Amino acid sequence: MTQTPVSILICTYNRAALLTETLNVCIEQTRTSGAEIIVVDNNSTDTTAAVLSVLAAANTDVLRVFHEPQQGLSHARNRALVEARGQLVIFLDDDAIPHPGWLAALCAFQQAHPDVAAFGGRIIPRFQVSPPGWFVPALHPLYSLLDEPGNGVPAPFIGGGYPFGANMAFNRSVSGEIHFATHLGRIGSSLLSGEETLVFNALRAKGQVPWYVPGAVVDHVVPPERLATDWLYRRFRAA
């Protein structure tokens, strides 16, 4: 079976402190897969540009960096899709760190299920401080955490569920071109969401149900400020 070209897409905004670990893990995993990594810097004002310059210079065979001047995650994601060479495109957040075998699990699923348009893996928290008592599983989706029950094998999402953007993939030969609505999605410090929901609802309307791939695991960093109730209220209002 012919290997589908793969692009890992990372959109970043002011996360220089976390980006190095994320990229180093991705670079290591691409060495055996032939995948490319595309990073779109969405007007970061910290040291992101310097971090990316060093990493890109040292990894010209796998890493390409672009700057998207229009502020907003949807703009950055759409730019990444334009630049991506792969038929399989994998979105990874800039504060998500893949576990060993993450990329291999997603590629193996695509090879085994070439007719599935969209799929994504497990997202578990990496707390920087101990979580408060109110941090219960019912709140996990607000933090883009995903740990579906099941028997450990890939399965379709039920009940309208879908992967989260921290760890999701699209087979463009089946899904067609993906586009994220630019009036939705995070813009700077805004927590507005909904752009992923539109994409997956459109796929479901065409009969394409997304799948869960439990072997493709990432840690998602939960910083202290996201464990404050004022952040949670802002997130509820923006959901």
Side-chain angles (χ1 to χ4, degrees):
M1 187 178 295
T2 301
Q3 178 67 45
T4 299
V6 180
S7 299
I8 299 170
L9 311 182
I10 301 172
C11 301
T12 191
Y13 176 71
N14 285 352
R15 290 251 176 81
L18 297 171
L19 190 57
T20 297
E21 182 179 5
T22 295
L23 282 174
N24 281 337
V25 171
C26 287
I27 289 166
E28 181 180 357
Q29 294 194 21
T30 59
R31 295 299 181 198
T32 57
S33 71
E36 67 170 358
I37 304 167
I38 290 176
V39 179
V40 176
D41 182 1
N42 195 203
N43 300 313
S44 296
T45 57
D46 61 359
T47 59
T48 292
V51 168
L52 289 174
S53 178
V54 171
L55 287 170
N59 299 279
T60 57
D61 55 330
V62 295
L63 176 59
R64 296 192 291 142
V65 176
F66 300 91
H67 177 259
E68 175 48 55
Q70 295 188 82
Q71 197 69 50
L73 178 56
S74 289
H75 286 295
R77 282 176 169 169
N78 290 337
R79 174 66 182 276
L81 287 166
V82 168
E83 303 295 348
R85 298 166 177 158
Q87 282 299 307
L88 176 60
V89 291
I90 302 169
F91 283 94
L92 179 71
D93 274 4
D94 57 357
D95 57 353
I97 298 92
H99 285 209
W102 164 77
L103 178 59
L106 292 173
C107 291
F109 176 84
Q110 189 279 326
Q111 291 291 296
H113 301 273
D115 57 337
V116 174
F119 48 97
R122 188 178 176 211
I123 307 170
I124 58 179
R126 180 187 288 191
F127 296 107
Q128 295 183 323
V129 298
S130 297
W134 53 256
F135 193 89
V136 294
L139 296 175
H140 288 186
L142 294 172
Y143 292 82
S144 296
L145 303 176
L146 181 62
D147 193 1
E148 290 283 301
N151 59 2
V153 299
F157 280 92
I158 60 174
Y162 52 82
F164 292 152
N167 185 15
M168 66 181 179
F170 298 93
N171 181 354
R172 294 200 285 189
S173 64
V174 181
S175 68
E177 289 305 313
I178 299 298
H179 180 82
F180 293 92
T182 54
H183 69 287
L184 296 172
R186 299 192 177 187
I187 301 174
S189 60
S190 165
L191 299 178
L192 185 65
S193 59
E195 77 286 4
E196 295 165 14
T197 305
L198 289 182
V199 168
F200 288 112
N201 284 349
L203 288 175
R204 282 184 179 273
K206 295 191 294 185
Q208 281 290 343
V209 177
W211 280 55
Y212 178 61
V213 184
V217 186
V218 303
D219 288 339
H220 202 193
V221 174
V222 182
E225 59 268 23
R226 293 191 181 183
L227 296 175
T229 54
D230 62 338
W231 185 93
L232 187 61
Y233 294 149
R234 289 175 54 222
R235 183 68 180 89
F236 265 118
R237 287 194 296 269

